Amino acid sequence: DGGITQSPKYLFRKEGQNVTLSCEQNLNHDAMYWYRQDPGQGLRLIYYSQIVNDFQKGDIAEGYSVSREKKESFPLTVTSAQKNPTAFYLCASSFTTESNTEAFFGQGTRLTVV
Amino acid sequence: GDSVTQMEGPVTLSEEAFLTINCTYTATGYPSLFWYVQYPGEGLQLLLKATKADDKGSNKGFEATYRKETTSFHLEKGSVQVSDSAVYFCALRVNNDMRFGAGTRLTVKP
């Protein structure tokens, strides 16, 4: 079955550590996105990528980094520079050239700083 | 910039009540509009969509009509069930820019 997979589902980070969240899709989508969800604030865009080896900052990119070395993969690193990283992180993907199509979401990773 | 505004929750209804969740948008281009649903601890699932003015999206008894004149895409259901309890997000897409509303939490009581 085609889909988008995020791992791990739960992640704990000590202060000062970098952590990487995985996102893989087998839908042959060109575009991939990372969103952060906090209670009552909806989804905020962190980074997005429309093509391999290219990505753009979203609204809240500070303290995060990404790479897009393969079409199927778009990992997100939460760095120690991110002062309030505890949140629910959602990865999504979509076709690039068909703007009337929806984005597909993974099941999310809940990151907690301990 | 492009944005979506949806009614604040939480919304609490009794089973079989009528549901409306308001959504309005601001967009510089011609957006496609979506409603997503999120169950606890999960990602977002597409509920319905509409890609041009006057289109009506529908799924599982939910409906929404793309109203360009009022820049709205309100979600409605005639008779809600306990299983409809979730958070609902209105969203728009213009090219590869996807924007989401803040979400509306719906609780349906038996």
Side-chain angles (χ1 to χ4, degrees), chain B residues 18-33:
Chain B
F18 184 85
L19 168 71
T20 300
I21 300 178
N22 290 338
C23 171
T24 57
Y25 68 90
T26 302
T28 52
Y30 297 95
S32 295
L33 302 173

Side-chain angles (χ1 to χ4, degrees), chain A residues 16-29:
Chain A
Q17 280 185 338
N18 293 354
V19 290
T20 297
L21 285 59
S22 170
C23 178
E24 304 275 336
Q25 54 95 5
N26 61 2
L27 299 166
N28 199 34
H29 286 166

Side-chain angles (χ1 to χ4, degrees), chain A residues 9 31 33 35 37 40-43 48 50 59 88 90 94-96 98-103 105-107, chain B residues 30 32 34 36 38 41-46 49 51 87 89 93-103:
Chain A
K9 189 172 177 63
Y33 310 80
Y35 292 91
Q37 186 178 19
Q41 294 194 44
L43 277 64
Y48 68 99
Q50 299 183 55
D59 299 324
F88 190 53
L90 287 162
S94 70
F95 288 112
T96 300
E98 301 172 35
S99 61
N100 60 352
T101 59
E102 66 270 26
F105 282 81
Q107 293 295 294
Chain B
Y30 297 95
S32 295
F34 307 87
Y36 284 85
Q38 184 181 34
E42 297 185 5
L44 276 65
Q45 304 172 26
L46 179 70
K49 70 178 183 181
T51 60
V87 181
F89 291 91
R93 178 175 179 178
V94 178
N95 297 318
N96 291 308
D97 188 12
M98 286 210 67
R99 298 287 167 171
F100 290 82

Side-chain angles (χ1 to χ4, degrees), chain A residues 23 28 41 52 57 80 91 108:
Chain A
C23 178
N28 199 34
Q41 294 194 44
V52 174
K57 293 182 179 180
S80 57
C91 180

